[in-house]
Amino acid sequence: MSKEASNLLGGPMSGLVASAVEYMVDAGQRSMLFLDVMRQRGDQYREHVAQTAPHVLQYAAELIIDGRDLNEPVNYALVRIVPPAGVEIDFERRPFIVVDPRAGHGPGIGGFKADSEIGVAMKAGHPCYFIGFLPEPMPGQTIERIARAEAQFIEKVIALHPKADGKPCVIGNCQAGWAVMILASLRPELFGPLIIAGAPLAYWEGVHGKYPMRYSGGLMGGSWLTAMTSDLGAGKFDGAWLVQNFENQNPSNTLWTKQYNVYSNIDTEADRYLEFERWWGGHVNLNAEEIQFIVDELFIGNNLAAGKVEMSDGRKVDLRNIRSPILVFCSEGDNVTPPQQALNWILDCYADVDEIRAYGQTIVYTVHQSIGHLGIFVSGGVAKKEHTEFSSNIDLIDVLPPGLYEATFEAKGEATASADLVVGQWVMRCEARTLDDIRAMGGNSPEDERRFAAAKRVSEMNLAAYRKYVQPWLKNAVTPQMAEMMRNLHPLRLQYEAFSSKSPWMSWVKSAADSIEDNRKPVSKDNPFLAFQEQMGKQIVHALDGWRDAQEALSEAMFLNIYGSPELQAALGIDPKSEPSRRREMSAEHRAMLDKKIAELRSRIAVGGLREATLRSLLYVGSARGMVDERSIEALRQVRRDQAGAQLTLSEFKTLVREQFFMLLLDPEGALAAIPALLPADHNQKQAIFAAMREVLSASGEITGERAVRLGRIAGLFGVEAGGVGTSNVTHFDPEARAS
């Protein structure tokens, strides 16, 4: 072979060899550094679980009430969040209370980062409180006892802020969401707006081909397995099993992506990974009575949305009793609590939007397009957008007229009208919706309802059989020491322990990692072996996702076919041809109260003065858009502040808005005809008020279309110049109208 040919072959070959050597050095270093991260994770886990009150809050906290000291002790506590330096708190603003989910993990998720639910509420000037819990439940602790304790916590917060401009805004994340809703239905007088994030309120709901976790109870034969797990725990249910269920939903992330992301980005990702794992690995226990209530009443029974949850004193939990605005935050990317489970309780409770109004209820929802379940609580992007807007505009939401709305967000830019009236970086609007908008997201057919009802019956039968034939024997056989040993041997705990410094084979890892950090030689980004590594990683994810999809399809097919069997349904006492509906009719008592309220409002249409006339006019004109914009509310606030002596408390203003809204709804022509008699005689004063209304109405954009027509009619009623807007003799009030 010629010298020239040898050089020609040797050039590319030597480059490939050099790339291979470079990659192998980097891969070896990354492997050792990754093992050291696993060691740190294990040590962090051991340190965390050894604490009496472990949490992942990023804020200093002051204990207000220790639930263990109550007459009915619980392992929950109320703490006040100490604002960090540079954050100013206005103690006359309504407090925020974040209730943490007890879903197997430790407390602190709502304050996991500076950009968190707590963080954005404090930045908006609100005092913040946190309801968390300890790893071990108190003896005899139940879900009902926890609810009573949390009621005492909220009462204490109210007492600490006697001059606050509203009742506390309470945030319930995930499993805390349904707990907050239960309490708010039993004690509605304690609550300001409720923010319910990623909470399964209608657990049966979903669509075919997605969200298979709802089938799990039926495929396992019901809640007997929950009872057995609690008995094996000597009366305690290990929360690690709940965490295991979450991890099983996404095996590619659990088995590969989460760890691979650290390995492949070892120089930048270690701190973020360890921060998250400190919370993810903080497993806690629940009493057997608590988890059995959750599984039987919510996950398999689906009784909350149906109004069948009953307290020990006989009271039924009826979500229609809630009087505070309810903000529901969910995501299309959430496979744990999809939008159907978060929203379809509305279809169970109300026939239409008029019935929502009849209960004086305001429901606002927003659906994120992609964020996962945990991202709803811990994503910095979500905190900076949705949670920030909710916190900054909580008073707007509190005074919304009753009805159903969707919160939408538009980025503020140079072209944004009245940008000075926008609090954050997004313009929040609450747009009127109907129940058909909820139905359009999908849900169960009558056939699906019969299937889940059959699964519920099977669960009840299996649980009864287990309690009669197995439970007495198992309870006598299991000792607390055996239960503790089984908890320590749980696979999720073992994976932390195995890589901690306690393991002999990890003793040399730290020193080796320290040496590598001093001589780190990362691979170049264009290395072909690195590209091959990335491609192999994608193939592994694809394979695991394919396996998951196949398993989910199989589980759905099994559930639909087993519990869809007409023979099985008939044997269980379910008519295979029935069309079940969980929606409840309005009670005679509530209808009588409603009729009385309607008569009272009709009698007061002509009662009032300038305030009533102004708000009635604004509602009439503004409703033509079918939405409320934060800029209009901020403009209204400024007008109210500028009018000496005209200041109302937020509660008074809310009552006034609702009264005027219902008067327009009940008798639109009579309510409008009464406006002239409510106005002062002074023409200049009427002109000034009309100008102020124009300012409020134009804050979110030019007054056009139906709004302009309605404003022209109001000008005629005020007896002032319309200023170029249209006029109309008759324009009926429609709270869901949308302008062209």
Side-chain angles (χ1 to χ4, degrees):
M1 182 181 294
S2 68
K3 183 177 181 181
E4 290 79 3
S6 178
N7 289 338
L8 184 63
L9 293 174
M13 184 61 70
S14 63
L16 188 63
V17 170
S19 294
V21 171
E22 179 193 42
Y23 174 79
M24 285 190 293
V25 170
D26 173 67
Q29 290 183 334
R30 277 187 287 135
S31 298
M32 188 56 62
L33 293 173
F34 175 78
L35 280 176
D36 190 54
V37 171
M38 295 297 102
R39 178 194 62 79
Q40 294 177 60
R41 184 185 73 151
D43 292 350
Q44 175 181 269
Y45 165 80
R46 292 176 56 80
E47 178 184 347
H48 189 69
V49 298
Q51 297 173 1
T52 303
H55 63 81
V56 293
L57 283 173
Q58 294 297 305
Y59 301 96
E62 171 191 346
L63 179 65
I64 303 296
I65 298 179
D66 187 336
R68 295 174 297 178
D69 298 331
L70 299 176
N71 291 333
E72 294 182 314
V74 295
N75 68 333
Y76 280 70
L78 171 70
V79 300
R80 183 183 73 87
I81 302 300
V82 179
V87 175
E88 294 293 330
I89 300 298
D90 182 353
F91 289 95
E92 293 191 2
R93 299 206 68 183
R94 72 168 78 244
F96 271 59
I97 304 173
V98 175
V99 184
D100 234 27
R102 193 153 153 255
H105 311 91
I109 194 65
F112 183 58
K113 298 180 179 180
D115 289 323
S116 62
E117 293 163 333
I118 291 174
V120 298
M122 285 195 296
K123 287 178 182 177
H126 296 276
C128 286
Y129 295 82
F130 183 80
I131 295 177
F133 47 86
L134 299 175
E136 291 296 325
M138 297 297 290
Q141 178 174 304
T142 63
I143 296 297
E144 185 174 354
R145 182 183 288 187
I146 293 169
R148 288 194 289 266
E150 290 178 345
Q152 294 182 61
F153 294 163
I154 297 172
E155 288 172 340
K156 180 64 175 179
V157 172
I158 293 172
L160 290 172
H161 297 271
K163 295 183 179 180
D165 57 7
K167 293 291 178 63
C169 174
V170 181
I171 301 176
N173 293 321
C174 187
Q175 302 293 348
W178 55 255
V180 165
M181 292 284 278
I182 288 175
L183 179 55
S185 72
L186 298 172
R187 297 289 307 276
E189 77 282 1
L190 296 179
F191 290 83
L194 306 174
I195 300 178
I196 307 301
L201 300 174
Y203 192 79
W204 285 2
E205 295 292 341
V207 294
H208 290 183
K210 293 182 179 180
Y211 323 128
M213 185 181 277
R214 64 192 180 125
Y215 302 128
S216 299
L219 293 174
M220 292 188 294
S223 67
W224 70 272
L225 188 58
T226 303
M228 187 181 75
T229 305
S230 297
D231 292 336
L232 289 172
K236 294 180 183 179
F237 184 90
D238 186 358
W241 291 113
L242 295 176
V243 179
Q244 184 76 66
N245 285 338
F246 294 137
E247 293 208 331
N248 290 342
Q249 293 300 297
N250 194 353
S252 65
N253 183 68
T254 299
L255 300 175
W256 179 258
T257 304
K258 186 165 62 170
Q259 279 68 236
Y260 175 73
N261 189 50
V262 181
Y263 167 76
S264 60
N265 300 282
I266 195 67
D267 300 308
T268 58
E269 281 295 301
D271 290 342
R272 184 204 59 80
Y273 174 80
L274 290 171
E275 180 186 38
F276 178 80
E277 286 294 304
R278 190 160 64 96
W279 172 72
W280 188 251
H283 311 124
V284 299
N285 292 323
L286 295 86
N287 277 343
E289 295 82 0
E290 295 178 273
I291 190 64
Q292 203 66 41
F293 175 95
I294 294 170
V295 175
D296 286 338
E297 298 289 348
L298 300 170
F299 295 168
I300 295 179
N302 202 43
N303 289 331
L304 178 59
K308 295 179 181 178
V309 174
E310 186 173 317
M311 296 292 102
S312 59
D313 59 3
R315 284 186 298 168
K316 290 285 183 66
V317 174
D318 189 341
L319 299 181
R320 298 175 299 182
N321 291 337
I322 299 173
R323 293 294 171 261
S324 306
I326 303 170
L327 289 75
V328 181
F329 183 27
C330 54
S331 174
E332 292 281 0
D334 184 354
N335 65 341
V336 176
T337 305
Q340 293 80 9
Q341 292 183 20
L343 295 173
N344 282 17
W345 63 274
I346 301 170
L347 304 180
D348 293 337
C349 291
Y350 307 103
D352 49 35
V353 173
D354 284 338
E355 193 165 309
I356 294 177
R357 295 187 184 115
Y359 280 91
Q361 186 54 267
T362 303
I363 303 172
V364 181
Y365 69 89
T366 186
V367 183
H368 197 281
Q369 295 305 305
S370 60
I371 198 72
H373 185 68
L374 292 177
I376 292 175
F377 324 122
V378 303
S379 168
V382 170
K384 290 177 181 177
K385 184 182 177 184
E386 281 87 349
H387 288 308
T388 295
E389 295 303 320
F390 284 160
S391 299
S392 300
N393 293 288
I394 200 67
D395 294 343
L396 177 160
I397 294 165
D398 200 15
V399 299
L400 275 177
L404 178 66
Y405 303 86
E406 180 178 6
T408 61
F409 305 89
E410 179 182 296
K412 182 173 72 173
E414 294 181 1
T416 301
S418 305
D420 59 309
L421 299 177
V422 180
V423 177
Q425 297 303 312
W426 300 84
V427 179
M428 188 179 88
R429 299 188 181 95
C430 293
E431 303 185 14
R433 295 288 185 260
T434 69
L435 298 194
D436 285 339
D437 293 298
I438 304 293
R439 294 188 183 100
M441 298 180 195
N444 287 344
S445 65
E447 292 80 7
D448 291 325
E449 289 293 311
R450 291 197 297 269
R451 290 181 176 108
F452 281 101
K456 178 181 178 181
R457 295 276 181 90
V458 168
S459 176
E460 292 167 349
M461 295 167 60
N462 286 346
L463 179 62
Y466 169 79
R467 283 176 168 167
K468 182 176 182 179
Y469 298 111
V470 180
Q471 189 174 60
W473 172 81
L474 197 58
K475 279 188 171 182
N476 289 330
V478 176
T479 66
Q481 293 76 16
M482 291 171 58
E484 183 65 22
M485 181 185 68
M486 283 187 280
R487 275 192 286 270
N488 291 334
L489 292 176
H490 191 284
L492 291 188
R493 289 189 175 88
L494 285 178
Q495 69 172 333
Y496 289 94
E497 294 280 2
F499 287 94
S500 71
S501 296
K502 183 181 177 182
S503 299
W505 70 286
M506 294 293 290
S507 59
W508 54 275
V509 169
K510 185 178 186 305
S511 58
D514 290 341
S515 176
I516 288 172
E517 286 181 351
D518 295 335
N519 300 279
R520 182 76 174 101
K521 295 179 180 179
V523 67
S524 57
K525 298 297 183 184
D526 60 352
N527 188 291
F529 292 95
L530 182 63
F532 179 73
Q533 170 195 296
E534 292 292 326
Q535 186 61 36
M536 287 298 297
K538 292 177 182 178
Q539 291 297 321
I540 292 172
V541 169
H542 179 73
L544 289 171
D545 284 346
W547 176 74
R548 177 203 61 197
D549 294 343
Q551 292 295 311
E552 290 182 352
L554 176 62
S555 67
E556 180 175 73
M558 290 176 61
F559 181 90
L560 296 180
N561 283 282
I562 292 171
Y563 291 104
S565 166
E567 293 77 12
L568 177 62
Q569 291 177 5
L572 294 169
I574 298 170
D575 183 355
K577 297 182 180 179
S578 65
E579 294 199 6
S581 172
R582 298 195 306 270
R583 197 184 70 77
R584 290 158 285 151
E585 298 297 328
M586 184 182 294
S587 67
E589 294 80 3
H590 187 82
R591 189 165 294 282
M593 182 191 72
L594 183 61
D595 291 341
K596 181 179 178 181
K597 182 67 175 177
I598 288 173
E600 179 186 348
L601 285 170
R602 286 184 182 276
S603 70
R604 294 175 52 207
I605 284 177
V607 177
L610 184 58
R611 281 179 179 148
E612 287 76 10
T614 302
L615 272 177
R616 194 177 301 178
S617 300
L618 285 169
L619 287 167
Y620 170 67
V621 178
S623 65
R625 293 186 70 188
M627 59 175 285
V628 179
D629 190 300
E630 69 171 274
R631 292 168 292 186
S632 298
I633 295 296
E634 182 58 31
L636 181 60
R637 286 175 181 152
Q638 293 184 9
V639 169
R640 290 173 61 222
R641 284 196 296 266
D642 293 342
Q643 294 179 16
Q647 186 72 12
L648 295 171
T649 67
L650 188 62
S651 178
E652 292 169 338
F653 183 65
K654 177 179 179 178
T655 300
L656 191 58
V657 168
R658 292 192 165 214
E659 287 181 349
Q660 299 309 309
F661 174 81
F662 280 122
M663 287 175 183
L664 280 166
L665 200 63
L666 293 169
D667 185 1
E669 291 306 310
L672 291 173
I675 286 177
L678 303 178
L679 296 171
D682 188 325
H683 180 78
N684 291 333
Q685 189 176 3
K686 288 190 287 187
Q687 187 71 55
I689 290 298
F690 185 80
M693 285 195 298
R694 283 191 62 115
E695 181 182 340
V696 171
L697 293 166
S698 63
S700 56
E702 186 180 353
I703 303 173
T704 58
E706 179 66 14
R707 288 203 305 157
V709 173
R710 293 190 182 195
L711 185 59
R713 185 177 185 189
I714 293 298
L717 295 172
F718 270 63
V720 300
E721 292 295 325
V725 300
T727 59
S728 173
N729 291 328
V730 178
T731 306
H732 290 284
F733 173 72
D734 181 358
E736 293 172 11
R738 290 176 169 77
S740 59

